């Protein structure tokens, strides 16, 4: 498999400068506690301002409030946000995933209803895929939506649902028929998480944060017009949703701030081993970023780089963990989440959450099966 | 700065025809492969990336490095990198004629002790690729570019891990053929980077070929009633190889593109560092997926894996991580992200 090198155009660089200048002001030091990549806290205020700037829903059509801009332009914006550890969880899922999927498969009415709000940073979405008994084997989901007057009645349990406690809606993959082909009976519903019958139970994450949830649906009525796409097409829609956005900056940038602060706090006193760590890491970071940018460019060219995306994610997330494994051998500290040192706080957080980087969004074992099939 | 596709297809055809298994084996035994050289030279491949005006075949550095990728893919046992992008580059930069026929370059290792005295060259040069077959040996000595005819020197045949000639050349007051001051910017360090770029280019090709060969073999080899490539444990090896190859290949493309524009030291150092890592990691995976057949002379894997191990050690290897890391430390935390995103253009001094 080969990638063809690309680079930012002058217009894309101009956008990058604009975003940097905006964030330099908006995220002045001390105003927020930087997070690690996607897991960085939520700020409605920041999300709305990004919306005002036209930096959410960037690729969506203008008539729904989008910018009709490219995947690479979105790459430029999210890269700047992520590398500063900006609080972006309020809009993250809606901007990356839910908006584009509604645009792709939703009815005209759904697009008019949701997309302008996504572009303004006013909606938080969650992803309702995993279930207690359906993880990697997603086609075995058992959440069930039964046809009733005017819509569906949804019952079952989703799990590991990030930010469901903050979210307005979840796109839920569920079973709408018992077709023989287990893929054929699946559909996607947009579920209002404030509907009667929805219970969101927090599941404390191992670092003490509470983004993880179990979401229980007990006879939740979902109006027929909130069916996303066609009934029975849920599997195909869901697969397309997963495939392209896998290799974005969030898949290799997570420990970036740990390294930046390492350099800030120890930079005057680093020996050869630390230098080799930095050399190895920066070279690989630079190259993996090139892969990620290339995949974004391929999507803009109308191609479907699903295998390339999986490869980018596998490379990126393994690298993230390698960075964490090595940096811990260089410092003699017992990291603490409440240290007065920013490096130690970030290090502590990263040590605790690093194992999730190769699990979330589809495990690396599953990705490798996808890549291996693509190599044949 | 897009690479000339037609050129690459031509190169691929030439090497497919000439670099057969038997021909590569024979080259290792004999230390020279005249038929392969003649074919490549006949279509100008060794001089791609050296300007027309200087007597080269024209094209960009990116073109030249891409041709090396094709050569690496086929394990072509000829001094392609040495003739044009290294010796030819040094000669052209000093406005000396680049000549015809195979050329080579003194890589300038720490143990060398070349010096000029009264217009004559003295001392010993190590690891000179194909010195025994070259028509001219080019070296940087005392801030000068010099060219000498190998027959005037004593050559002790030495080979690298892949059986490619890396001769020791003893100059015993040898009259120099050509000499000129090296222009500003042409020095031992520039040669180290240039050499690293050529090795990374060759390695990218070898890694891609090794990945493809491994996929092909494991889809044919059957055990327990199925192709071994269907076992997930084996697929992990295939994926490892493909990932490393794709990463190095892309890094090399960007490094060559930047070399055509100016300062590419960060990109070259990174590409070589990654290629060296890949030479360790991907060869291990490829050999494991092949089992015993991969350990034989009869099967082609060793043409690639042994070259990767040999090229890893040439032009740097151990120096790159620390050197790059020092540059990152000097650039400081506020520049760190720009280095990752923009490479040399960030101003980092690698
Ligand atoms: C931080 C985080 C946030 C998440 N957020 C969400 C969310 O918002 N919404 C949501 O729906 N889900 C979310 N998930 C869930 C995530 O998608 C699943 O964890 C993931 O798909 C794996 O499923 P599982 O945890 O059930 O593991 P399992 O599928 O039970 O896997 C266990 C192990 O077996 C391996 N395995 C399983 N099948 C195979 C196979 N065929 N071949 C080889 N190995 C296999 C896996 O790779 C893994 O190593 C989140 C997970 C994390 C960690």
């Amino acid at each position: 498999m080969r990638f063809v090198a690309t680079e930012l155009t002058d217009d894309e660089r101009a956008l990058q400068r604009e975003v940097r200048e905006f964030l330099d002001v908006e995220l002045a030091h001390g105003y927020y506690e930087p997070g690690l990549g996607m897991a960085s806290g939520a700020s409605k205020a920041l999300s709305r301002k990004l919306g005002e700037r036209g930096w959410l829903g960037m690729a969506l059509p203008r008539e729904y409030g989008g910018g009709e801009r490219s995947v690479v332009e979105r790459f430029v914006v999210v890269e700047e946000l992520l590398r500063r550890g900006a609080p972006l969880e309020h809009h993250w899922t809606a901007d990356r995933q839910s908006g584009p999927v509604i645009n792709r498969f939703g009815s005209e009415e759904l697009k008019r209803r949701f997309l302008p709000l996504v572009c303004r940073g006013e909606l938080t979405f969650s992803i309702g895929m995993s279930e207690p008994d359906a993880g990697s084997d997603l086609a075995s989901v058992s959440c069930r939506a039964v046809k009733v007057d005017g819509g569906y009645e949804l019952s079952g349990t989703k799990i590991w649902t990030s930010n469901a406690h903050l979210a307005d809606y979840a796109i839920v993959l569920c079973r709408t028929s018992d077709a023989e082909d287990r893929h054929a009976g699946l559909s996607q519903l947009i579920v209002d998480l404030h509907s009667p019958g929805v219970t969101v139970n927090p599941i404390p994450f191992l670092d003490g944060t509470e983004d993880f949830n179990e979401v229980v649906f007990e006879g939740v009525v979902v109006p027929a017009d909130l069916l996303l796409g066609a009934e029975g097409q849920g599997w195909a829609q869901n697969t397309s949703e997963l495939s392209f956005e896998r290799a974005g900056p969030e898949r290799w940038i997570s420990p970036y701030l740990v390294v930046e602060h390492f350099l800030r706090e120890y930079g005057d006193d680093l020996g050869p081993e630390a230098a080799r760590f930095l050399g190895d890491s920066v070279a690989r970071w630079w190259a993996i970023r090139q892969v990620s940018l290339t995949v974004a460019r391929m999507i803009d060219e109308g191609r479907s780089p699903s295998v390339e995306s999986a490869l980018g994610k596998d490379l990126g997330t393994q690298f993230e963990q390698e960075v964490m494994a090595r940096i811990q051998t260089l410092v003699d500290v017992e990291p603490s989440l409440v240290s007065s040192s920013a490096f130690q706080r970030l290090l502590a957080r990263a040590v605790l959450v690093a194992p999730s980087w190769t699990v979330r969004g589809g495990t690396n074992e599953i990705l490798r099966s996808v890549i291996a099939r693509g190599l044949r | 700065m897009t690479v000339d596709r037609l050129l690459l297809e031509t190169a691929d055809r030439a090497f497919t025809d000439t670099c057969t298994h038997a021909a590569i084996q024979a080259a290792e035994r004999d230390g020279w492969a005249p038929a392969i050289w003649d074919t490549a030279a006949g279509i100008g491949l060794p001089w791609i990336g050296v300007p027309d005006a200087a007597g080269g075949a024209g094209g960009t550095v990116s073109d030249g490095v891409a041709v090396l990728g094709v050569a690496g893919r086929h394990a072509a046992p000829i001094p392609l990198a040495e003739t044009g992008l290294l010796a030819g580059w040094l000669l052209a930069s000093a406005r000396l004629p680049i000549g015809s026929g195979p050329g080579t370059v003194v890589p300038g290792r720490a143990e060398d002790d070349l010096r000029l005295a009264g217009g004559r060259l003295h001392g010993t040069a190590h690891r000179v690729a194909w010195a025994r077959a070259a028509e001219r040996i080019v070296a940087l000595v005392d801030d000068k570019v010099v060219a000498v005819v190998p027959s005037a020197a004593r050559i002790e045949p030495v080979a690298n891990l892949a059986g490619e000639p890396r001769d020791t050349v003893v100059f015993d007051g040898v009259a120099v053929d050509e000499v000129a001051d090296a222009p500003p910017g042409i020095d031992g360090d520039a040669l180290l980077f240039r050499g690293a770029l050529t090795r990374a280019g060759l390695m990218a090709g070898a890694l891609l070929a090794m990945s493809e060969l491994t996929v092909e073999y494991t889809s044919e080899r059957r055990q327990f009633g199925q192709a071994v490539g269907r076992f997930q444990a084996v697929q992990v090896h295939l994926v490892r190889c493909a990932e490393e190859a794709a990463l190095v290949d892309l890094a090399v493309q960007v490094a060559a593109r930047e070399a055509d524009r100016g300062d590419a030291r960060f990109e070259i150092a990174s590409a070589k560092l990654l290629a060296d890592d890949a030479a360790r990691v991907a060869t291990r995976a490829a050999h494991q997926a092949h089992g015993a057949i991969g350990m034989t002379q009869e099967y082609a894997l060793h043409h690639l894996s042994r070259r990767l191990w040999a090229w890893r050690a040439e032009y740097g290897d151990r120096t790159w991580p620390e050197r790059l890391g020092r540059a990152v430390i000097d650039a400081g935390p506020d520049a760190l992200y720009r280095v990752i995103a923009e490479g040399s253009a960030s101003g980092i001094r690698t």
Side-chain angles (χ1 to χ4, degrees):
Chain A
M1 184 185 310
R2 299 192 67 178
F3 292 97
V4 178
T6 185
E7 61 189 321
L8 296 183
T9 62
D10 288 345
D11 285 350
E12 288 158 356
R13 279 182 212 281
L15 171 65
Q16 189 178 51
R17 276 194 299 278
E18 208 185 319
V19 178
R20 284 179 181 170
E21 281 160 20
F22 169 79
L23 292 177
D24 282 345
V25 174
E26 216 41 60
L27 301 176
H29 273 301
Y31 160 76
Y32 71 116
E33 172 73 5
L36 298 169
M38 302 183 259
S40 55
S43 162
K44 275 188 193 175
L46 178 66
S47 297
R48 295 222 167 103
K49 283 186 186 167
L50 291 168
E52 282 166 20
R53 289 272 170 155
W55 294 337
L56 298 182
M58 287 177 78
L60 300 177
R62 274 187 208 287
E63 55 173 319
Y64 308 118
E68 292 184 6
R69 302 182 83 162
S70 66
V71 175
V72 171
E73 286 172 307
R74 179 173 179 275
F75 176 106
V76 165
V77 172
V78 301
E79 177 182 36
E80 287 303 316
L81 287 163
L82 289 163
R83 66 116 156 170
R84 293 167 196 250
L88 42 66
E89 288 186 69
H90 178 68
H91 68 261
W92 179 258
T93 301
D95 174 61
R96 180 181 74 168
Q97 209 153 323
S98 319
V101 89
I102 290 171
N103 182 50
R104 186 132 176 230
F105 300 111
S107 61
E108 183 59 28
E109 196 192 322
L110 284 183
K111 291 192 218 181
R112 292 210 178 283
R113 175 161 165 195
F114 287 107
L115 299 186
L117 295 169
V118 167
C119 297
R120 290 208 296 271
E122 296 199 4
L123 281 185
T124 297
F125 268 85
S126 280
I127 300 167
M129 292 188 193
S130 305
E131 295 183 4
D133 292 325
S136 300
D137 183 13
L138 204 53
S140 66
V141 292
S142 60
C143 260
R144 181 172 292 273
V146 180
K147 263 230 164 86
V148 293
D149 233 14
Y152 298 89
E153 199 178 275
L154 177 66
S155 301
T157 301
K158 291 291 175 185
I159 198 166
W160 322 131
T161 322
S162 301
N163 288 325
H165 61 307
L166 303 174
D168 305 292
Y169 294 90
I171 296 185
V172 172
L173 181 69
C174 58
R175 202 158 287 290
T176 40
S177 85
D178 289 307
E180 193 140 321
D181 169 4
R182 64 185 190 143
H183 296 121
L186 297 174
S187 303
Q188 284 182 308
L189 293 178
I190 303 176
V191 181
D192 180 345
L193 292 178
H194 302 296
S195 314
V198 177
T199 314
V200 177
N201 301 311
I203 305 174
F205 206 53
L206 89 178
D207 67 347
T209 56
E210 292 196 340
D211 294 345
F212 247 14
N213 299 279
E214 175 196 63
V215 184
V216 181
F217 304 105
E218 291 168 299
V220 176
V221 175
V222 181
D225 57 5
L226 288 182
L227 171 71
L228 177 60
E231 198 179 289
Q233 287 302 307
W235 180 255
Q237 292 172 197
N238 196 78
T239 310
S240 89
E241 176 179 344
L242 281 176
S243 64
F244 296 165
E245 296 297 335
R246 269 179 169 155
E250 67 273 19
R251 303 307 183 182
W252 43 265
I253 222 166
S254 312
Y256 168 72
L257 283 178
V258 183
V259 178
E260 186 188 302
H261 282 271
F262 170 71
L263 209 48
R264 245 176 237 301
E265 293 187 23
Y266 295 87
D268 296 334
D269 186 27
L270 292 174
E273 201 185 336
R276 285 194 291 272
F277 160 73
L278 288 167
D280 284 338
S281 302
V282 168
R284 198 160 265 264
W285 239 323
W286 165 79
I288 288 175
R289 179 182 178 278
Q290 300 288 331
V291 168
S292 184
L293 183 61
T294 303
V295 171
R297 190 72 81 200
M298 287 167 84
I299 299 170
D300 283 335
E301 286 165 356
R303 299 163 60 186
S304 315
S306 53
V307 178
E308 289 83 352
S309 295
L311 189 147
K313 184 179 176 216
D314 187 39
L315 266 175
T317 53
Q318 284 189 84
F319 166 69
E320 291 182 327
Q321 289 180 345
E322 181 64 28
V323 166
M324 290 315 303
R326 263 178 94 179
I327 202 167
Q328 289 176 75
T329 67
L330 299 173
V331 286
D332 189 16
V333 297
E334 296 181 32
S336 155
L337 289 169
V338 294
S339 169
S340 59
S341 140
F343 166 67
Q344 289 195 34
R345 290 198 301 278
L346 287 160
L347 177 68
R349 177 88 53 208
V351 168
L352 291 171
V353 304
S356 72
W357 297 337
T358 50
V359 172
R360 63 184 180 188
T363 70
N364 287 44
E365 287 74 16
I366 297 298
L367 295 176
R368 287 177 201 143
S369 297
V370 171
I371 302 164
R373 233 178 294 131
L375 292 176
R376 278 207 294 271
Chain B
M1 222 76 67
T2 48
V3 169
D4 184 343
R5 294 276 131 214
L6 198 63
L7 167 69
L8 298 185
E9 282 166 27
T10 310
D12 190 56
R13 229 173 298 120
F15 290 130
T16 303
D17 291 345
T18 54
C19 295
T20 60
H21 188 88
I24 297 170
Q25 293 290 119
E28 182 170 347
R29 190 185 59 231
D30 304 340
W32 185 231
I36 299 175
W37 171 264
D38 289 346
T39 304
I43 52 176
L45 295 182
W47 298 279
I48 303 285
V50 181
D52 291 310
T60 59
V61 172
S62 294
D63 289 326
V65 170
V67 168
L68 291 182
V70 179
R73 223 172 221 294
H74 290 278
I78 51 171
L80 209 60
E82 283 70 23
T83 302
L85 286 178
L86 295 173
W89 162 72
L90 281 178
L91 292 168
S93 68
R95 301 183 174 281
L96 294 173
I98 65 165
S100 59
T104 191
V105 72
V106 174
R109 298 194 55 92
E111 60 271 30
D112 292 359
D113 61 351
L114 297 189
R115 64 206 175 276
L116 282 169
R120 290 181 171 268
L121 186 59
H122 300 266
T124 304
H126 299 85
R127 315 297 297 178
V128 183
W130 284 279
R132 67 190 80 163
E135 289 185 5
R136 108 196 45 77
I137 300 176
V138 178
L140 271 169
V141 189
D142 303 340
D143 301 324
K144 293 189 170 12
V145 177
V146 302
V148 298
V149 180
S151 57
R154 183 154 52 81
I155 294 180
E156 295 165 6
V158 180
N160 67 13
L161 287 179
E164 294 178 323
R166 294 292 186 267
D167 300 328
T168 301
V169 187
V170 183
F171 301 97
D172 200 3
V174 169
V176 300
D177 222 32
E178 306 278 0
V179 60
D181 286 341
I186 301 294
D187 55 17
D189 209 42
L191 176 60
L192 175 68
F193 277 94
R194 188 83 169 186
L197 177 60
T198 65
R199 287 304 176 271
L202 288 163
M203 292 170 86
L207 287 161
L208 288 167
M210 189 170 77
S211 168
E212 288 161 19
L213 183 66
T214 309
V215 169
E216 207 174 292
Y217 178 76
T218 55
S219 68
E220 280 160 16
R221 170 71 174 169
R222 297 174 72 82
Q223 287 292 286
F224 300 98
Q226 58 176 331
V228 294
R230 300 195 72 84
F231 296 115
Q232 272 191 356
V234 174
Q235 290 179 354
V236 172
H237 300 314
L238 303 182
V239 170
R240 194 51 330 170
C241 276
E243 287 176 344
E244 292 296 311
L247 193 69
V248 171
D249 175 47
L250 181 57
V252 167
Q253 290 174 47
V254 179
R257 180 188 77 200
E258 295 307 310
D260 275 314
R261 291 175 178 166
D263 181 11
R265 283 176 299 177
F266 172 87
E267 288 78 6
I268 293 172
S270 296
K272 181 61 163 63
L273 186 162
L274 292 166
D276 295 346
D277 276 350
R280 287 177 270 263
V281 174
T283 52
R284 193 162 75 203
H287 271 282
Q288 188 65 21
H290 272 91
I293 189 90
M295 299 307 297
T296 66
Q297 288 272 341
E298 284 100 83
Y299 183 78
L301 180 60
H302 78 102
H303 290 159
L304 301 165
S305 60
R306 287 164 65 218
R307 276 180 174 73
L308 287 165
W309 295 324
W311 294 339
R312 178 192 63 72
E314 296 176 351
Y315 295 103
D317 190 21
R318 287 195 63 251
T319 68
W320 295 120
E322 191 172 339
R323 180 165 177 171
L324 204 51
R326 284 280 159 225
V328 168
I329 293 167
D330 291 345
D334 292 330
L336 182 61
Y337 203 80
R338 290 199 52 203
V339 171
I340 291 169
E342 292 158 34
S344 298
S346 71
I348 186 175
R349 302 169 64 84
T350 306

